[in-house]
């Protein structure tokens, strides 16, 4: 196995008395798409900022490309690309100028910067917007410019902090498509997300974070099989009546979660469970059987839903 | 021992901003500003006029009311006396505007510095780059002012060419100080206090009347960085340099160095946390 | 009877002003005081030393000459700046004026309300300057009381035409040039620092056309008791003309912008 690109041991980030990251271990291999999954405030962004060398490590060890951010921050930063959570594009410049000047920050020659800019605008499908001011772009287009900009230095590692938060579904799919292509080309991606579908789509391997700690680790599929069942039956009985049939439901499902608006029953065969319940005169207002997702993994691990 | 060597070099860069070891990186920020202003040259161009209006107003108005004033034992028309003061003040005002309002906007609203720090640029590079552009713009205006003085035959000595580096130094001192102060500002409302500093400096730095007019209070002038700048430009205009010039230079250089160091440190503590 | 419509409009601006008036007044006083000391006293000492300066200034000290003009310039800057960015905020950024005309208020009420607000704000500033001028023997006179409404009128003579301009703009791009090429030159060449007779002959008529010069002359004449009724009436009429004309144009442009 190759030497890991990122290696963290007992990594801690403290802000005064608040512990944002509480002793995590991570290894990210070259060519991997690695995800941090967790709700807001789980410590994902703090971890990303430490990896990006814009936030000092409070305790523990962290190496990127085998280098120490404390001593070689500049060298590390010159080899990574960053897509921040909020777009930090240069509003005073055009799309094209944004990319060119960003290349200059990496000391890339002007001619080369121009060549890469036109290639990357082509890649993110924004060639016709090259001369537009960034302000005039939509949210999804801005995010694509951010991604193009992060790639201008041909980084060995790409950090994406919540790449699709705040985008509409169509824009998200366009973005996923571009990221998937990057992945196919062998780029190493590290991303944070609180969207289960995003993690399932893009990540080879992920860690689930909650309150600064890693609570589970693995591929999306293995996490689901380890912490959930194949299917989930969602039932609604109407307000305040979800708990009335709890005993009967618990008797047939492997595990039951009571949420304010619905009951989740974990089982290998959701339809079978629903049929059995109907036979026993437990008839919900509505019922839905779906495949288990990372959302269920998170609920199982933390007792909370991710949307909180 | 390579380990101790790297540790020591990083200790050094913590104390002296490592920008001193590579001046190419801050240039990238100047490149960015040039890129921005290339599209709106009027913003730069219209800045030429304010100091010129002041100069002309002094010439047609006060100078004919006042006549000549005595400077260093020789009589000089008032307009020629006041011109170096206006030139130095213009360098101050330009630098302060660039390093306060403009920097605050880029810092808080455009989040420019956050994205710069994710690249190989460091906090010191950002500080020096931004201050560098403010100085460059200031020198452009000073140059135009000098040309106007020449055209109006108000330049007294060929040494006046040295007023350009002097104005660059005034600009860098005030830009460095302005940017350092800006890192402490919380909202736009705090900028109300900027004129509370620059206006008294403008009026009371031996700009409009000779040091002798201040009488027993002339020591207060020493506290004004602008006074030291005015003194330099005035010395250049007369072509008369004394040992005191070194003192004026030292004050402005120190203010610049302290301003840059404070700015770099503040960027680090505020943005790299 | 309810509150007049224009006062309901001014009320909004005064609410905002109430929160910042202390800092605002301090700023409005600080600047003229600094200029009084720096230019009035400092440069004044040089001017008064020159042999024939007194005759050029109409027989008064430079301090009296300059200080009596400051009431008008302070109003110009206060009201003038108010007519730029804060107006733009009401029209384009926070859309407060747009919100107003969806109530029973009419665009004309908004214009008058804005004028009332300008008048209140400049009155506070002018009163402050008048109090500062009582500190100096040369300018202490009952004329200061009469000069306050003149200063307010000078402010309106500036701010209302400027407001008409602002109400037709989409962005604040033209504002710095307005400051640089209109307000500052008037301040420097409009008879504040020196009598306009010293201007080159071709420039003198330009100063006559500037509202500031009329405000300055009238304030100065009243404070120093050096103006005849005919001249005073003329200056007053010009100021009223600028302010009234500005109001009329505003009613048109406000309507066009707010109810396109």
């Amino acid at each position: 196995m190759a030497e890991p690109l990122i290696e963290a041991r007992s990594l801690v980030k403290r802000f005064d008395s608040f512990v944002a990251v509480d002793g995590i271990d991570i290894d990210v291999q070259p060519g991997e798409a690695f995800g941090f999954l967790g709700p807001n405030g789980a410590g994902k962004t703090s971890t990303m900022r430490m990896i990006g060398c814009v936030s000092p490590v409070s305790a523990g060890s962290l190496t990127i490309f085998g280098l120490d951010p404390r001593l070689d921050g500049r060298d590390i930063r010159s080899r990574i690309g960053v897509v921040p959570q909020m777009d930090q594009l240069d509003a005073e410049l055009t799309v094209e100028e944004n990319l060119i000047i960003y290349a200059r920050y990496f000391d890339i020659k002007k001619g080369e910067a121009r060549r890469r800019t036109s290639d990357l605008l082509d890649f993110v499908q924004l060639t016709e917007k090259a001369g537009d001011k960034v302000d005039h772009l939509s949210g999804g287009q801005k995010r694509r410019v951010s991604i193009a900009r992060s790639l201008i230095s041909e980084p060995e590692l790409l950090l994406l902090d919540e790449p699709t938060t705040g985008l509409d579904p169509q824009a998200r799919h366009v973005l996923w498509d571009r990221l998937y292509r990057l992945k196919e080309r062998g780029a190493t991606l590290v991303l944070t997300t609180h969207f289960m579908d995003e993690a399932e789509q893009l990540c080879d391997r992920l860690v689930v974070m909650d309150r600064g700690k890693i609570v589970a680790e693995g591929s999306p599929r293995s996490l689901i099989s380890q912490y959930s069942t194949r299917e989930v039956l969602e039932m609604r009985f109407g307000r305040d009546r979800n708990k009335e049939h709890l005993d009967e439901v618990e008797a047939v499902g492997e595990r039951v979660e009571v949420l304010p608006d619905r009951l989740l029953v974990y089982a290998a065969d959701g339809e079978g469970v629903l049929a059995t319940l109907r036979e026993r005169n437990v008839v919900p207002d509505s019922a839905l059987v779906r495949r288990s997702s990372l959302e269920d993994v998170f609920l199982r691990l933390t007792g909370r839903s991710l949307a909180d | 021992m390579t380990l101790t060597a790297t540790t020591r070099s990083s200790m050094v860069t913590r104390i002296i901003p490592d920008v001193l070891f590579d001046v190419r990186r801050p240039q990238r920020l100047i490149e960015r500003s040039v890129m921005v202003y290339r599209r709106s040259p009027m913003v730069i161009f219209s800045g030429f006029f304010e100091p010129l209006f002041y100069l002309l107003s002094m010439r047609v108005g006060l100078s004919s009311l006042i006549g000549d004033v005595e400077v260093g034992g020789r009589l000089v028309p008032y307009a020629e006396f006041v011109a170096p003061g206006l030139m130095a003040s213009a360098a101050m005002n330009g630098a302060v505007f660039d390093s306060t309002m403009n920097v605050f906007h880029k810092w808080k609203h455009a989040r420019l510095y956050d994205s710069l720090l994710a690249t190989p640029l460091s906090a010191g590079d950002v500080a020096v780059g931004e201050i560098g552009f403010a100085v460059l713009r200031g020198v452009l205006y000073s140059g135009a002012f000098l040309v106007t003085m020449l055209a109006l035959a108000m330049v007294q000595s060929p040494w006046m060419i040295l007023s350009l580096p002097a104005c660059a130094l005034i600009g860098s001192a005030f830009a460095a100080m302005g940017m350092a102060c800006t890192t402490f500002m919380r909202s736009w409302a705090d900028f109300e206090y900027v004129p509370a500093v620059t206006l008294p400096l403008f009026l009371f730095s031996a700009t409009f009347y000779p040091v002798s007019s201040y009488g027993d209070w002339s020591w207060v002038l020493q506290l004004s960085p602008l006074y030291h700048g005015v003194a330099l430009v005035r010395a250049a205009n007369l072509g008369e340099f004394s040992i005191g010039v070194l003192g004026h230079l030292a004050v402005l250089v120190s203010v610049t160095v302290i301003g840059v160091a404070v700015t770099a440190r503040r960027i680090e503590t505020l943005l790299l946390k | 009877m309810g509150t007049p419509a224009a006062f309901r409009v001014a009320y909004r601006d005064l609410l905002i002003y109430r929160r910042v008036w202390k800092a605002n007044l301090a700023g409005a006083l600080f600047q003229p005081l600094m200029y009084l000391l720096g230019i009035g006293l400092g440069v004044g000492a040089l001017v008064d030393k020159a042999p024939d300066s007194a005759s050029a200034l109409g027989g008064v000290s430079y301090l009296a000459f300059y200080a009596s003009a400051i009431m008008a310039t302070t109003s110009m800057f206060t009201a003038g700046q108010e007519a730029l960015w804060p107006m733009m905020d009401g029209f384009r950024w926070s859309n407060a004026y747009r919100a107003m005309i969806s109530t029973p208020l009419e665009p004309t009420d908004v214009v008058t309300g804005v004028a009332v607000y300008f008048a209140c704000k400049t009155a506070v500033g002018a009163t402050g300057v008048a109090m500062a001028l009582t500190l100096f023997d040369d300018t202490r006179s009952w004329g200061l009381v009469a000069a306050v409404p003149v200063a307010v009128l000078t402010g309106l003579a500036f701010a209302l035409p400027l407001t008409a301009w602002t109400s037709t703009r989409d962005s604040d791009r033209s504002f710095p040039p307005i400051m640089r090429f209109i307000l500052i030159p008037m301040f420097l060449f409009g008879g504040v620092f020196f009598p306009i007779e010293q201007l080159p002959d071709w420039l003198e008529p330009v100063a006559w056309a500037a509202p500031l010069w009329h405000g300055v002359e009238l304030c100065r004449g009243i404070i120093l008791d050096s103006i005849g009724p005919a001249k005073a009436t003329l200056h007053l009429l010009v100021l009223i003309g600028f302010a009234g004309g500005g109001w009329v144009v505003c009613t048109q442009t406000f309507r066009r912008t707010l109810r396109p």
Side-chain angles (χ1 to χ4, degrees), chain B residues 6 83 98 104 107 123 138 150 174 176 180 191 200 223 227 244 250 270:
Chain B
T6 34
D98 248 336
F104 191 74
W107 177 302
L150 265 175
F174 279 97
F191 286 92
L223 301 177
Y227 162 70
L270 291 177

Side-chain angles (χ1 to χ4, degrees), chain A residues 5-26:
Chain A
L5 231 52
I6 303 173
E7 186 182 72
R9 292 291 173 268
S10 314
L11 184 62
V12 174
K13 180 68 202 181
R14 241 179 263 116
F15 295 102
D16 299 321
S17 62
F18 173 69
V19 182
V21 178
D22 192 2
I24 61 170
D25 295 343
I26 334 166

Side-chain angles (χ1 to χ4, degrees), chain B residues 11-223:
Chain B
M11 285 285 286
V12 170
T13 55
R14 279 187 165 273
I15 297 157
I16 309 167
D18 57 353
V19 60
L20 297 179
F21 306 117
D22 187 350
V23 289
R24 267 178 320 145
R25 282 189 305 259
Q27 274 175 32
R28 304 291 174 241
L29 262 107
I30 296 176
E31 244 178 85
R32 177 196 169 272
S33 298
V34 170
M35 212 178 229
V36 169
Y37 284 109
R38 206 173 42 192
R39 215 172 310 102
S40 41
M42 263 317 283
V43 176
I44 296 277
F45 182 67
S46 71
F48 285 110
F49 290 93
E50 203 169 312
L52 293 188
F53 287 153
Y54 269 91
L55 182 63
L56 292 175
S57 169
M58 291 296 153
R59 196 175 151 91
V60 299
L62 287 177
S63 203
S64 59
L65 284 174
I66 293 172
D68 294 345
V69 287
E70 195 187 312
V71 195
R74 99 160 98 134
L75 283 177
V76 180
Y78 182 69
E80 285 171 35
F81 165 79
V82 85
L86 293 174
M87 188 177 181
S89 306
M92 169 185 83
N93 283 326
V96 168
F97 184 79
D98 248 336
S99 65
T100 54
M101 305 281 241
N102 287 354
V103 161
F104 191 74
H105 174 79
K106 287 185 252 185
W107 177 302
K108 298 273 175 175
H109 296 274
R111 318 281 312 169
L112 175 68
Y113 304 139
D114 290 274
S115 77
L116 288 174
L117 292 172
T119 73
L121 301 179
S122 70
D125 298 333
V126 172
V128 173
E130 288 290 74
I131 291 163
F133 180 73
V135 172
L136 212 67
R137 186 171 168 175
V139 168
L140 213 62
Y141 293 160
S142 306
F145 195 93
L146 185 57
V147 170
T148 313
M149 280 180 71
L150 265 175
L152 297 171
M154 295 169 79
V155 172
Q156 307 209 324
S157 136
W159 290 106
M160 187 57 180
I161 191 72
L162 290 179
S163 64
L164 289 181
C167 283
L169 191 56
I170 298 167
S172 57
F174 279 97
M177 213 158 46
M179 195 166 171
C181 292
T182 301
T183 63
F184 290 94
M185 303 230 181
R186 295 150 302 172
S187 73
W188 288 108
D190 287 340
F191 286 92
E192 301 254 341
Y193 300 105
V194 172
V197 178
T198 53
L199 185 61
L201 289 181
F202 172 54
L203 292 170
F204 302 107
S205 292
T207 335
F208 290 96
Y209 26 91
V211 180
S212 57
S213 306
Y214 291 82
D216 292 340
W217 288 90
S218 59
W219 61 271
V220 178
L221 287 173
Q222 300 294 334
L223 301 177

Side-chain angles (χ1 to χ4, degrees), chain C residues 56-114:
Chain C
L57 298 175
V60 297
S61 71
Y62 188 73
L63 176 71
F65 177 84
Y66 175 71
S68 54
I70 284 195
M71 297 212 26
T73 59
T74 306
S75 292
M76 170 182 83
F77 279 114
T78 314
Q81 291 195 17
E82 202 65 38
L84 298 175
W85 287 276
M87 266 317 112
M88 186 51 102
D89 181 64
F91 276 107
R92 306 273 169 194
W93 298 334
S94 78
N95 284 317
Y97 298 140
R98 257 170 235 285
M100 282 179 189
I101 56 135
S102 57
T103 72
L105 296 168
E106 289 292 321
T108 318
D109 301 326
V110 180
V111 177
T112 314
V114 161

Side-chain angles (χ1 to χ4, degrees), chain A residues 106-122:
Chain A
F106 285 84
D107 211 14
I108 295 162
K109 296 256 181 307
K110 278 217 182 95
E112 177 66 12
R114 266 176 225 290
R115 195 186 57 72
R116 290 189 193 178
T117 297
S118 81
D119 287 354
L120 283 168
L121 287 182
D122 187 43

Side-chain angles (χ1 to χ4, degrees), chain A residues 109-165:
Chain A
K109 296 256 181 307
K110 278 217 182 95
E112 177 66 12
R114 266 176 225 290
R115 195 186 57 72
R116 290 189 193 178
T117 297
S118 81
D119 287 354
L120 283 168
L121 287 182
D122 187 43
F123 173 67
V124 295
Q125 298 165 311
L126 284 173
T127 304
E128 74 282 11
K129 299 276 180 194
D132 287 18
K133 278 268 184 92
V134 169
D135 271 353
H136 303 158
L137 301 183
S138 71
Q141 290 170 330
K142 278 185 193 164
R143 200 51 66 89
R144 267 141 66 199
V145 177
S146 286
I147 290 178
R149 191 174 79 159
S150 72
L151 294 170
I152 197 95
S153 57
E154 299 184 341
E156 295 160 58
L157 168 66
L158 192 61
L159 304 179
L160 302 124
D161 197 359
E162 311 227 339
T164 65
T165 300

Side-chain angles (χ1 to χ4, degrees), chain A residues 193-212:
Chain A
T193 182
H194 59 247
F195 295 120
M196 300 301 158
D197 49 351
E198 184 159 283
E200 289 181 44
Q201 286 258 353
L202 294 175
C203 299
D204 301 322
R205 204 156 60 83
L206 55 93
V207 292
V208 181
M209 281 188 84
D210 186 42
R211 295 178 177 148

